[in-house]
Amino acid sequence: GENSNPRAAMYGDGFFEEDQLLRDTYKIQSIPTIIINGRYDMVCPPVAAYKLHEKLPLSKLIIVEEAGHLASEKPIEKELLKAMQDFE
């Protein structure tokens, strides 16, 4: 049935348990990572991206000032393309 708790639905019906990514960062600490987050992202607030960045020593954090959550927003898209080029 439908879960009336949106937070549980985000995690319970998704890929991760609540806080799993932050809890299990030790498993991916050796992977170079670029974290791109929109300044106005209300789904995944920048503070969450910062917490993840703090736990991943090989990560680079990019906060896109003029963007929200969607990868299709032009400023986010631009940073995603730059990030992919960094890994070529």
Side-chain angles (χ1 to χ4, degrees):
E2 292 286 321
N3 189 328
S4 61
N5 180 345
R7 203 164 159 82
M10 262 198 306
Y11 294 101
D13 298 335
F15 296 105
F16 295 107
E17 298 170 8
E18 187 169 352
D19 296 325
Q20 181 181 354
L21 184 59
L22 288 177
R23 183 180 67 238
D24 292 346
T25 52
Y26 70 93
K27 295 178 180 180
I28 60 172
Q29 284 189 337
S30 64
I31 300 173
T33 307
I34 300 174
I35 303 166
I36 300 169
N37 208 108
R39 164 71 176 87
Y40 300 105
D41 190 334
M42 302 303 276
V43 177
C44 300
V47 67
Y50 182 75
K51 287 178 182 178
L52 181 60
H53 170 62
E54 284 185 310
K55 290 183 161 246
L56 294 172
L58 300 180
S59 70
K60 175 181 177 183
L61 176 61
I62 299 169
I63 300 295
V64 183
E65 288 297 324
E66 58 280 347
H69 181 73
L70 300 176
S72 60
E73 294 179 53
K74 289 298 178 190
I76 294 282
E77 186 179 281
K78 178 182 171 186
E79 292 299 332
L80 288 169
L81 289 170
K82 281 199 288 188
M84 287 188 297
Q85 291 170 349
D86 286 351
F87 284 106
E88 286 183 346

